[in-house]
Amino acid sequence: MMQPSEKIWMDGTFVNWADANVHVLTHSLHYGLAAFEGIRCYQGKNGSAIFRLPEHVDRLFESAHIAMIRIPYDKKQVTEAIVETVRVNKLEACYIRPLVYIGYGAMGLYPGENPIRVAIAAWRWGAYLGEEALASGIRARVSSFTRHHVNVSMTRGKISGYYVNSILAKREVKADGYDEAIMLDPEGYVAEGTGENVFIVRRGVLKTTPLTSILEGITRNSVIQLARERGIPVAEERFTRDEMYVADEVFVTGTAAELTPVREIDNRRIGAGKPGPITMALQKAFFDVVTGEDPSHQAWLTRV
Ligand code: PMP
């Protein structure tokens, strides 16, 4: 169960958590066309800060643009509403969920002039895959479900309906006792996790899926930059499931999952079967930046 906070921003005003309801005939609830974000606010030595807020707001507007949903606020208004949501709820560290959706009005697939509605919630949310996962790594399985073909779903958008595919994949592997699913693209190359981007390390080179078939992860982008700053070569290149099996290290990145090592895939041990040195160095680099221990990326932090 999630941990409720006090208020949720809905269409310009704060309402009590328990009253943040919609009509059951809300268009997005039926057909899944909505755009959303997942953002984290971290508590650091200089107080609380939202990680890469402008990039998340940009992506929300891009997702809405792809979905042909016109957000009835500008980026500045949405940015301020996000910061205000964290403040009003007196949250120090939290997860923030902005959602842009098509409201009640016409039914049927053509949404016509239905109102576009916006909600922003924030609540305390610890490690998505668990503290143990961050420290020791997870067991993953390649999903029997294929990730989106680029002309079925436009993967630059973080669009609600796309996550049906992720939920199917996640449930399948959880039922079989694994922690996370890794999904292949329609050509059989590694695409992404259900809510994470995938990285492998082999012979000192960090490799991650190119942006053609995946969500443009903001954690992915941050980790690529942190790796390059540390002299680790990075290649954005397709790779196959067997290349993961023989990798020295594998990890996944995402706002929720942060930087989580993968110690086993499809019952094959990855590397030494525990988080490798590059994974752990990058995980530390990431947490040092988000908490302000490392002051080199202040531009990534929006103070609350
Ligand atoms: N891929 C998918 C499918 C996701 O849902 C997410 C989480 N937003 C990611 C990758 C990672 O993106 P980010 O690092 O921006 O959270």
Side-chain angles (χ1 to χ4, degrees), residues 4-21:
S5 49
E6 275 179 40
K7 303 275 183 190
I8 294 181
W9 190 95
M10 280 183 98
D11 308 309
T13 51
F14 283 103
V15 299
N16 289 330
W17 179 278
D19 301 328
N21 301 316

Side-chain angles (χ1 to χ4, degrees), residues 246-257:
V246 298
D248 302 315
E249 304 179 31
V250 177
F251 62 86
V252 294
T253 63
T255 297

